[in-house]
Amino acid sequence: MLNKIKIASSFLIVNLFLASSCGDDPKFQFPIDALTVEKVYDIGNANDATDVRIHITLSKDVSSADITEIRAIVVKAGKTITEADIATIVTGNYFSSIPSGDTKDLVIKPISSTKDSDGSPIVNETNYKLYAVAIGKDDAISISGSKEFKLQNRSIYAGNYLGNWNDLGPPGPANTKTTLKIKDDYTGQMFFSADFHAFGFNAQDEIVEMIVNGTVISSFKLQQNIGGYSGKFGPSGCPANGVLSGNFEDDINLVLDQFGWSDCDGSRAVILKFTKQ
């Protein structure tokens, strides 16, 4: 009789343990560094939050399906936010976005009424920091590191660009890393290098003059003189020039239509594409 009581008691304890365990599944948590603010761009001159474009990436260990909301929170320079602050920042003092698909790259563009975390308008010539906050299942929260930025009233396509000179051939095909500096007056320099240094023995590889109407590049004038470079056929210096056309396919990507180019490396078809940094 005693053995039967012991067996029954043990069976009851096991069942109680299993029943309680079923209701204690661990809550979802984001991994460390779940999301990163890669870049904050100044893409307009409205003097409000619509001038801001934000590039966010998710870590390889995070799926957009785990995220119910991403908040872009702008704070004044010198301030920080913690997880405890998230619930105290009211709607309107951040911009909310819901990710879709399974991409790791997210682009967020706040609306004009978006304020900073204090409720102040987001305006030009003010030093800010931006945080991205992921809200997930089981109310999990992950806060990115901050990215500093300041909006300015300037030519919206001025700046530094990384790009690629794509020789379609013949000769070719071949790809060359290029960099581009555009000034406020839309003149600038293009370099056949990835680091804004001339490939040839002079200050620049190409002089650029750009005319933009809206997002359409109606004229992209190149004047080339690669100092000290003779190429396959030409004299030392490798001069060439051309007037190209293209467009800004979005806020930051400059694309030139396919064009014919002839210099000391011969004649061939080329496509140029740049991305603003």
Side-chain angles (χ1 to χ4, degrees):
M1 178 62 75
L2 287 174
N3 286 337
K4 289 182 179 180
I5 292 172
K6 287 180 179 179
I7 292 171
S9 299
S10 299
F11 182 78
L12 179 61
I13 291 169
V14 169
N15 274 280
L16 286 171
F17 174 76
L18 291 174
S20 63
S21 297
C22 290
D24 289 335
D25 291 334
K27 286 188 174 183
F28 172 79
Q29 290 184 322
F30 285 111
I32 297 173
D33 299 326
L35 71 172
T36 302
V37 179
E38 299 290 347
K39 182 77 175 178
V40 180
Y41 297 92
D42 181 358
I43 62 165
N45 286 323
N47 194 30
D48 62 30
T50 60
D51 292 350
V52 180
R53 183 187 197 271
I54 308 155
H55 177 203
I56 297 170
T57 57
L58 304 180
S59 79
K60 62 181 180 62
D61 300 318
V62 175
S63 168
S64 57
D66 297 328
I67 300 173
T68 57
E69 178 188 10
I70 289 181
R71 297 179 185 179
I73 302 177
V74 175
V75 304
K76 295 180 179 70
K79 296 191 65 173
T80 59
I81 60 171
T82 66
E83 188 170 324
D85 297 322
I86 301 304
T88 68
I89 302 175
V90 301
T91 302
N93 294 355
Y94 60 85
F95 183 74
S96 176
S97 176
I98 300 174
S100 61
D102 197 28
T103 181
K104 299 294 186 185
D105 286 282
L106 306 172
V107 174
I108 294 178
K109 299 179 182 180
I111 59 177
S112 60
S113 59
T114 304
K115 305 292 194 299
D116 70 16
S117 61
D118 295 328
S120 302
I122 296 169
V123 294
N124 291 341
E125 303 302 335
T126 301
N127 293 317
Y128 293 111
K129 292 194 295 187
L130 184 133
Y131 292 88
V133 179
I135 312 294
K137 298 182 293 185
D138 299 326
D139 296 322
I141 292 176
S142 179
I143 304 176
S144 73
S146 65
K147 185 70 71 174
E148 296 181 356
F149 73 99
K150 179 169 70 173
L151 300 176
Q152 295 178 305
N153 186 18
R154 59 178 302 189
S155 302
I156 61 175
Y157 296 129
N160 291 342
Y161 292 78
L162 300 184
N164 191 66
W165 177 288
N166 184 7
D167 271 342
L168 303 178
N175 290 310
T176 301
K177 294 298 181 185
T178 52
T179 44
L180 173 68
K181 288 179 177 286
I182 294 292
K183 303 174 186 177
D184 281 350
D185 62 356
Y186 290 164
T187 63
Q189 298 167 286
M190 193 185 85
F191 308 92
F192 290 104
S193 74
D195 58 359
F196 301 94
H197 287 91
F199 174 76
F201 301 126
N202 57 1
Q204 74 285 314
D205 298 327
E206 305 269 5
I207 297 296
V208 176
E209 295 180 22
M210 185 170 69
I211 299 174
V212 182
N213 297 305
T215 60
V216 175
I217 301 168
S218 55
S219 175
F220 192 89
K221 184 178 180 181
L222 290 177
Q223 294 179 306
Q224 174 179 292
N225 185 16
I226 306 177
Y229 179 71
S230 61
K232 296 179 180 179
F233 311 108
S236 177
C238 198
N241 62 75
V243 180
L244 323 177
S245 60
N247 71 298
F248 283 86
E249 63 180 19
D250 57 23
D251 305 310
I252 62 172
N253 288 302
L254 179 163
V255 179
L256 281 306
D257 300 325
Q258 181 174 323
F259 58 93
W261 185 256
S262 180
D263 61 15
C264 55
D265 283 326
S267 300
R268 66 273 193 199
V270 176
I271 292 178
L272 262 172
K273 180 174 181 178
F274 294 95
T275 300
K276 192 173 185 181
Q277 298 306 293

